[in-house]
Amino acid sequence: MSVPEGHYPEGYHPGSDEPRLNRPVHERYPQIRATSGYADPRVSATGPGPGAGTDQQPERSAILSARVALAVTIVIGQLWALNTATDAWMSGHVATAWWCTGFSAASFLVVLLAWRISPNDR
């Protein structure tokens, strides 16, 4: 199938052997206009109402963010302790492995304490 010259905009290179599939976007989808979206009369609301996205309780948000940061730090510490304990155990350094296990258990207790401090956030 040959495509007639001048049928496509300058610089447009069709990718299919079927000319009906190689039409420009505005010919293939006439319902999509350049003003679709911001000036379309069918759009009645542009987004959430006033005040959306603002922090309504900044103190609670700060507390939750601090707890998440603490929990992430402790999880990273527990992963380090697990790695170190495994290396120490495999190397025959049993005392170091037990210290790392104790650190991991203490870290778990700190996270449990942080969880119990304010049960009304759940």
Side-chain angles (χ1 to χ4, degrees):
M1 300 177 128
S2 69
V3 179
E5 290 296 322
H7 180 68
Y8 298 105
E10 185 178 16
Y12 184 81
H13 302 288
S16 174
D17 289 337
E18 296 183 46
R20 68 181 184 83
L21 299 176
N22 293 323
R23 295 175 295 159
V25 174
H26 67 275
E27 289 180 16
R28 286 183 284 165
Y29 305 102
Q31 69 274 23
I32 299 176
R33 298 182 304 278
T35 59
S36 287
Y38 69 92
D40 195 335
R42 296 173 292 179
V43 176
S44 62
T46 59
T54 60
D55 202 354
Q56 303 297 323
Q57 297 176 332
E59 295 85 11
R60 183 173 183 270
S61 177
I63 290 170
L64 292 176
S65 296
R67 269 198 246 153
V68 167
L70 179 67
V72 166
T73 303
I74 289 173
V75 166
I76 290 171
Q78 286 180 324
L79 290 172
W80 168 82
L82 178 64
N83 185 30
T84 304
T86 304
D87 284 346
W89 184 269
M90 293 301 207
S91 299
H93 301 108
V94 179
T96 304
W98 280 112
W99 276 108
C100 289
T101 302
F103 172 78
S104 185
S107 297
F108 176 76
L109 291 176
V110 169
V111 170
L112 187 63
L113 178 68
W115 178 70
R116 295 281 298 169
I117 285 176
S118 184
N120 60 351
D121 282 339
R122 293 189 291 282

